[in-house]
Amino acid sequence: MRVAVAGATGNIGSHTAAVLERHGHEVVRISRSLGVDLVSGEGLDAALNGVDAVVDATNAPVGDAAATAEYFGATTRNLLAAEARAGVRHHVLLSIVGIHDVDGNAHYAGKRAQERLVGEGPVPWTIVPVTQFHDFAAMVAGWTEQDGVAAIAPLLVQPIAPADVGEVLAELAVGEPQGRYTDVAGPETQDLVDMARRTHQALGRDVRLVPTWSGVFDARMAGEVLLPGEGARIAPTTFDEWLRTLV
């Protein structure tokens, strides 16, 4: 099949593209750095010529709820419209577990808007809710790190390896549209603060972590809100196994 991957130079997109090619599919990589602008739509029609399926693994720049929703709205509308013109038969959207149970998070609000557009759009679709990635903890700590100190929320998560996400997205892209897919998660529940500590340790970094709900994530995200629902698809790679790849 000929499959386009939007966000192909990013973390998940690059894994997805690699898996597809390993299985013999032709991959069209879509990103601004490769000459295709999803915000303006420039280059989209040419990129999607002859494409059977599209995987949307794009991410939005950091912003408030309105800006994030506007970004996801523009990129998703442009992508779906170009897919319809090209006769694309399957749109696969990477989404996040728990976004419908959390208010006040700008990124989650944008992803909910994106899901609505895909669900109401002209192209048959599969939405894939995935838990946080194994590298999420260190990324969150990096947002606030200053002089060797970082604030981080004590989120309860069931993280998944980025490579495993790529495997799932590639598998679903070459199959039939399934609507909303089951939650996809890693094999073990983890505390985000401990994940950040262990990631820094593996990288040889000394960062003092300050658990707090006063940062990007507040107490509305405490408890099991970010954990997968019943019947979730469990990916194989543990956090410890992923950590060993950093050494």
Side-chain angles (χ1 to χ4, degrees), residues 133-229:
F133 310 138
H134 283 157
D135 53 3
F136 180 68
M139 180 181 72
V140 172
W143 293 343
T144 63
E145 184 181 341
Q146 189 170 9
D147 298 326
V149 180
I152 184 169
L155 298 176
L156 187 64
V157 296
Q158 194 166 323
I160 185 171
D164 288 347
V165 179
E167 293 278 356
V168 173
L169 293 177
E171 172 197 316
L172 294 175
V174 299
E176 295 298 316
Q178 298 192 42
R180 188 170 189 84
Y181 193 67
T182 188
D183 291 351
V184 181
E188 302 169 330
T189 302
Q190 302 280 348
D191 171 75
L192 198 70
V193 179
D194 186 58
M195 286 175 63
R197 178 188 61 78
R198 292 159 65 193
T199 304
H200 289 146
Q201 186 178 49
L203 294 171
R205 301 196 63 236
D206 184 17
V207 180
R208 184 168 71 86
L209 299 171
V210 180
T212 178
W213 290 114
S214 63
V216 176
F217 305 114
D218 61 28
R220 287 174 290 187
M221 299 180 73
E224 299 183 353
V225 67
L226 298 182
L227 298 185

Side-chain angles (χ1 to χ4, degrees), residues 36-194:
V36 183
D37 191 333
L38 291 177
V39 175
S40 68
E42 181 181 359
L44 257 181
D45 285 328
L48 295 183
N49 184 38
V51 163
D52 300 295
V54 171
V55 176
D56 185 356
T58 56
N59 205 354
V62 176
D64 59 23
T68 305
E70 182 179 354
Y71 177 86
F72 277 131
T75 58
T76 303
R77 288 188 188 93
N78 286 338
L79 192 53
L80 291 173
E83 289 174 23
R85 290 191 294 270
V88 171
R89 300 192 301 270
H90 190 187
H91 180 97
V92 178
L93 172 65
L94 172 63
S95 193
I96 308 171
V97 166
I99 62 173
H100 296 280
D101 300 319
V102 175
D103 293 322
N105 182 286
H107 188 72
Y108 285 17
K111 291 299 290 185
R112 289 195 297 269
Q114 188 183 33
E115 284 193 5
R116 285 195 297 272
L117 289 171
V118 170
E120 297 167 357
V123 181
W125 52 274
T126 303
I127 292 174
V128 190
V130 175
T131 55
Q132 286 69 32
F133 310 138
H134 283 157
D135 53 3
F136 180 68
M139 180 181 72
V140 172
W143 293 343
T144 63
E145 184 181 341
Q146 189 170 9
D147 298 326
V149 180
I152 184 169
L155 298 176
L156 187 64
V157 296
Q158 194 166 323
I160 185 171
D164 288 347
V165 179
E167 293 278 356
V168 173
L169 293 177
E171 172 197 316
L172 294 175
V174 299
E176 295 298 316
Q178 298 192 42
R180 188 170 189 84
Y181 193 67
T182 188
D183 291 351
V184 181
E188 302 169 330
T189 302
Q190 302 280 348
D191 171 75
L192 198 70
V193 179
D194 186 58

